[in-house]
Amino acid sequence: WARELDEHTPERLAILSDLGRAIRDGELVLHFQPRVALQYGFIEGFEALVRWQHPRLGLLPSGQFVPFAESTEVIQSLTCWVVRAALEQLAQWNASLPRLTMAVNISMRNLHDRTCPDRLAEIVREVGVDPGVVEYEVTETAIMSDPEAARTALSRIIANGSRLAIDDFGTGYSSLAWLEKLPVDVLKIDRSFVSELTEGARRDAIVRSTIGLAHSLELGVVAEGI
């Protein structure tokens, strides 16, 4: 037994209990990470990063509460809140800067919820943004935990014209055969490779080969922020 691995400590249970209330009471906030097109030098879109302005613990990064939410059905409400808030902000920006894109993370538990694709599509319609500027990100590890189920769910989620990105690419153990089968539009190279790109020839080779793979499959490629 190790305390840091125990998902049922009083502290973690308290955070999980408070999270549902935080969603209802407006304690969550979004930070937006820009995505820059290197070949042109301009911002082409943003990734929505959720934070929790906890009344007692201060501003919490997603890593301190999203993993708890993913272990329960709270993740469904959290994901819907993030998608709606992110797209509402995007709609405001697109009024003066059309065609900006917005990337939002979804979890494997979202993919296991049969109602999730319909709820996401409904949010896009209600906010009134073009589905083509919405990009859903799923980690490579989450997809490979059940690739067949992921393919079915992701196909439904992007059926309305939205895009799909594989996040943290290079950190899991994915099969290239599944990369061909999944309805993928973008590969995001994990920051662990990008942040130390100049530290050695092997990392440089990995990044170059991943970029080449993406281009050969006619996919976009993103160097994840550090």
Side-chain angles (χ1 to χ4, degrees):
W1 180 85
R3 186 176 182 81
E4 63 271 17
L5 300 178
D6 188 352
E7 296 182 355
H8 304 290
T9 62
E11 296 85 355
R12 295 190 180 196
L13 292 176
I15 286 179
L16 187 56
S17 175
D18 287 346
L19 184 55
R21 176 196 52 75
I23 297 172
R24 296 189 299 271
D25 293 351
E27 293 178 4
L28 301 183
V29 295
L30 292 183
H31 290 185
F32 296 94
Q33 179 172 277
R35 178 182 293 179
V36 178
L38 292 180
Q39 65 270 44
Y40 305 118
F42 60 75
I43 294 175
E44 62 179 10
F46 295 87
E47 179 182 356
L49 306 173
V50 65
R51 302 288 185 263
W52 181 2
Q53 189 62 59
H54 196 283
R56 181 172 54 86
L57 301 175
L59 188 66
L60 300 180
S62 59
Q64 292 189 23
F65 61 92
V66 170
F68 304 149
E70 288 179 326
S71 66
T72 73
E73 288 304 305
V74 173
I75 191 61
Q76 311 302 344
S77 299
L78 177 59
T79 298
C80 288
W81 183 91
V82 171
V83 172
R84 183 179 296 277
L87 296 189
E88 287 175 347
Q89 179 63 72
L90 180 65
Q92 294 181 34
W93 285 334
N94 276 346
S96 56
L97 296 170
R99 300 307 300 175
L100 284 175
T101 62
M102 182 64 71
V104 184
N105 292 281
I106 57 177
S107 78
M108 193 61 199
R109 196 174 184 100
N110 292 133
L111 302 185
H112 286 155
D113 181 358
R114 294 181 60 84
T115 68
C116 183
D118 294 334
R119 284 194 283 177
L120 295 180
E122 183 179 2
I123 292 171
V124 173
R125 287 193 301 269
E126 290 177 351
V127 176
V129 299
D130 180 353
V133 301
V134 182
E135 184 177 293
Y136 297 107
E137 295 186 0
V138 187
T139 66
E140 179 184 12
T141 303
I143 290 175
M144 294 315 300
S145 66
D146 192 344
E148 192 63 62
R151 180 173 66 164
T152 299
L154 290 169
S155 296
R156 289 184 60 208
I157 287 175
I158 67 172
N160 69 338
S162 296
R163 291 158 55 85
L164 170 66
I166 296 184
D167 199 5
D168 299 341
F169 188 78
T171 59
Y173 301 93
S174 63
S175 164
L176 295 182
W178 279 106
L179 186 59
E180 178 189 12
K181 295 175 183 178
L182 291 166
V184 180
D185 299 288
V186 177
L187 296 184
K188 291 189 65 179
I189 304 175
D190 186 71
R191 71 183 63 195
S192 62
F193 298 106
V194 178
S195 62
E196 300 180 5
L197 187 58
T198 61
E199 298 299 319
R202 288 191 174 186
R203 289 186 181 275
D204 181 89
I206 290 172
V207 172
R208 288 180 182 274
S209 63
T210 303
I211 293 172
L213 172 64
H215 288 172
S216 66
L217 294 174
E218 299 183 347
L219 304 178
V221 60
V222 174
E224 196 168 15
I226 52 179

